[in-house]
Amino acid sequence: MKCSSSSSFTPATNQEELNKDFAVWLALDLEPFSMVNNQGLRYFFEKNFPNLHVPDESTLRKKTVHELYNEVSEQVKRDLAGVNTLNLMFDGWTDKHRGMHYIGLRVQFIRHDWTGHVVTLSVKPCGGDSDSISEHVMNEIKNFVPDYADKQLYSTHDGASVMIKTSRLLKVRNWNHCVAHALHLLLTTDSLQKVPSVMAVLNKCKNIVNTLHFKGDVLEREVRNTNDQAAFSDLMDKVSNLSTLLNADNLYSLDEESSSESENDDTEAGRSGLGCTQKKAHRLQNEVCTRWNSSLEMIESVLHMRAEITSALKSIGKYDQCLRVQDWALLEELAAFLKTFRGLTELVSTKTTSLSLIPLLRAEVMDACSTNSTDDDDLKAIKSMINRNLDKRLPLTHSVKMATLLDPSTRALLQLSDDVMEDLLYAAATAASTTSQLPVVDSS
């Protein structure tokens, strides 16, 4: 393909538009604005497009990003003004080291052209109690939907008691549990964390990551002996990424035992995980990652570099950290099992989601948790616990049934005759229209 010569290139828009395009480029790629200072980027544009002026970082930060935000927010306001029903999606988490609580607020809606959208309205510090959260959410909504009281409001969150109370204060018609978080609870709180041998091997893996992260010279020596520099680079990248991942996981994720899953603390702060700032700050070396996807990343990386890791640990005298044969076998089984849930989490993390996906997810989870003769006792225990808690985490509520019946792509999942479907749809619609209170759901 022929590229136009630099001498004939002329910017198609003015400099302000180009600055906005640069800002959008960096935002979409999750790159810092300082990227425009990179010599390679500036060399490329100066050589190939000398008529194009690359903006400086200060311009993007102090002017362009604010102009771009105003344009986007005005469009969001116009979109939200034209819809009657809004689904508020909010989530809270605590930065344990800074002792600050944050609330992220998104809104899901369907426009008149029947296209679904999810927009992030804000991510800001906020108090940890339900009154503070509800007031914060109301103020954020007012900025985009001044007449929000005239809309039909629904909410989606992690099911913690403080979030349920926040939904009541917001006067939403109904709330639903975040499906991605429900999957997380099934895999961690309901199963993995209740099998001591599984937690033991995950802790071993985390200790290995911590050890190797600070022993790069040993690994370099180990790999140099095999003249496989590519393998060394790959291993060090994985160790560094894992260390960052586990550190971030420990930094701001809610401790499940002090959030919606606490059985011993019925206070609002304890139930929501917002009282964790009173605890001593955790250290990376002292706890295993609390997110199942972090565990999967760690397991896959350890398995990928099995021989190199074992050899490196032995060379520095860490024989006690070497995994045993049964440990490796368990990790292989866990990796194969958890990979199924990676796809399911990606499915419910798309830009537009629907309650009609829940029956599909339930079917996939039940299929993944069917036991066979090759499963060891630990994996059988995990699958059994997940199956036992499936109705609690992903219940088939009236709203779910209605969404499934109205969605042509999923209605067959209920496996009912047309007459029964019609009766069920009528019953679900009647129940939804007459419900005056939010459902009381056991979030433990």
Side-chain angles (χ1 to χ4, degrees):
M1 184 174 71
K2 253 180 144 180
C3 295
S4 56
S5 64
S6 59
S7 59
S8 62
F9 175 80
T10 302
T13 55
N14 58 39
Q15 187 60 45
E16 287 188 358
E17 289 299 316
L18 282 172
N19 291 350
K20 292 177 183 177
D21 288 343
F22 266 102
V24 172
W25 169 17
L26 299 178
L28 290 176
D29 289 346
L30 300 180
E31 297 288 351
F33 287 146
S34 59
M35 181 178 172
V36 295
N37 299 328
N38 292 353
Q39 292 183 353
L41 183 146
R42 289 191 169 274
Y43 166 78
F44 174 83
F45 282 104
E46 289 173 2
K47 180 178 184 297
N48 294 280
F49 309 109
N51 295 329
L52 187 149
H53 172 68
V54 178
D56 57 79
E57 180 183 353
S58 178
T59 299
L60 294 180
R61 290 186 181 279
K62 295 181 179 179
K63 181 181 179 183
T64 306
V65 69
H66 297 289
E67 294 174 350
L68 193 60
Y69 174 81
N70 290 334
E71 290 183 11
V72 173
S73 62
E74 288 301 319
Q75 181 60 52
V76 171
K77 291 177 184 178
R78 289 192 291 270
D79 287 341
L80 295 179
V83 298
N84 296 321
T85 303
L86 300 175
N87 180 30
L88 307 177
M89 309 163 71
F90 46 88
D91 185 29
W93 68 95
T94 299
D95 183 332
K96 296 178 181 178
H97 295 287
R98 293 185 177 88
M100 294 186 65
H101 187 257
Y102 294 85
I103 287 290
L105 174 63
R106 309 177 81 190
V107 60
Q108 182 181 32
F109 59 96
I110 300 176
R111 297 198 308 192
H112 291 304
D113 59 359
W114 287 99
T115 57
H117 295 271
V118 176
V119 178
T120 300
L121 298 185
S122 69
V123 179
K124 296 180 179 179
C126 174
D129 59 283
S130 56
D131 290 329
S132 298
I133 295 175
S134 58
E135 182 180 359
H136 169 81
V137 172
M138 282 184 190
N139 290 334
E140 294 299 309
I141 297 174
K142 286 179 183 177
N143 292 333
F144 293 89
V145 193
D147 60 340
Y148 81 95
D150 299 329
K151 310 283 187 181
Q152 292 187 23
L153 299 180
Y154 295 82
S155 65
T156 300
H157 47 71
D158 62 7
S161 60
V162 69
M163 295 304 185
I164 296 176
K165 186 174 180 180
T166 297
S167 290
R168 291 196 178 100
L169 293 174
L170 290 171
K171 293 181 169 52
V172 304
R173 298 191 62 172
N174 202 350
W175 71 270
N176 288 285
H177 200 289
C178 171
V179 176
H181 190 260
L183 287 174
H184 160 67
L185 294 177
L186 275 171
L187 288 169
T188 56
T189 307
D190 296 337
S191 55
L192 293 178
Q193 293 181 359
K194 292 186 176 181
V195 182
S197 55
V198 170
M199 294 304 294
V201 76
L202 290 178
N203 272 309
K204 283 184 179 180
C205 290
K206 189 164 189 177
N207 289 334
I208 289 173
V209 171
N210 291 329
T211 298
L212 298 186
H213 183 61
F214 298 106
K215 293 292 183 179
D217 56 330
V218 177
L219 289 175
E220 185 174 12
R221 226 174 22 247
E222 180 66 30
V223 177
R224 190 183 295 124
N225 293 336
T226 63
N227 295 319
D228 191 350
Q229 190 62 34
F232 167 70
S233 299
D234 187 19
L235 177 59
M236 289 309 298
D237 286 343
K238 285 182 179 294
V239 169
S240 179
N241 291 337
L242 273 175
S243 182
T244 302
L245 177 67
L246 300 182
N247 208 358
D249 184 63
N250 180 49
L251 181 64
Y252 57 78
S253 64
L254 288 177
D255 185 338
E256 297 303 332
E257 293 304 321
S258 63
S259 63
S260 62
E261 302 311 309
S262 174
E263 297 179 358
N264 300 320
D265 186 358
D266 289 331
T267 63
E268 187 170 281
R271 297 276 297 171
S272 65
L274 307 182
C276 59
T277 55
Q278 305 298 322
K279 299 179 181 180
K280 181 180 178 180
H282 293 285
R283 294 286 178 254
L284 177 63
Q285 290 82 0
N286 293 339
E287 62 180 66
V288 73
C289 46
T290 58
R291 291 291 184 262
W292 71 268
N293 48 352
S294 300
S295 298
L296 177 57
E297 291 287 339
M298 179 173 63
I299 292 170
E300 288 181 326
S301 298
V302 170
L303 287 172
H304 182 66
M305 289 293 178
R306 176 173 177 170
E308 291 84 356
I309 287 175
T310 302
S311 181
L313 288 174
K314 289 180 178 179
S315 68
I316 58 175
K318 297 290 185 180
Y319 292 93
D320 59 319
Q321 290 192 18
C322 293
L323 297 175
R324 300 169 299 174
V325 174
Q326 55 266 40
D327 293 333
W328 289 112
L330 178 56
L331 288 176
E332 289 173 352
E333 285 201 325
L334 284 175
F337 175 66
L338 293 176
K339 283 178 184 178
T340 302
F341 295 88
R342 176 184 282 159
L344 296 181
T345 301
E346 291 173 355
L347 177 64
V348 296
S349 300
T350 54
K351 293 182 180 179
T352 305
T353 57
S354 170
L355 287 175
S356 61
L357 289 176
I358 289 181
L360 174 62
L361 264 65
R362 284 174 57 96
E364 292 291 336
V365 170
M366 286 188 289
D367 184 59
C369 292
S370 58
T371 58
N372 54 67
S373 57
T374 59
D375 293 340
D376 67 8
D377 292 340
D378 290 330
L379 188 57
K380 287 179 180 178
I382 290 172
K383 290 181 176 181
S384 175
M385 292 175 185
I386 291 175
N387 280 326
R388 233 177 11 242
N389 289 278
L390 187 58
D391 288 335
K392 180 173 73 172
R393 301 305 183 189
L394 294 173
L396 285 176
T397 62
H398 287 303
S399 299
V400 170
K401 293 175 181 177
M402 184 187 300
T404 306
L405 289 168
L406 293 175
D407 190 337
S409 63
T410 58
R411 59 183 299 178
L413 290 172
L414 292 181
Q415 298 178 343
L416 303 173
S417 65
D418 290 342
D419 291 340
V420 175
M421 282 188 177
E422 184 177 344
D423 292 340
L424 185 59
L425 179 58
Y426 177 79
T430 303
S433 63
T434 58
T435 299
S436 59
Q437 289 185 336
L438 292 172
V440 178
V441 176
D442 180 9
S443 61
S444 63

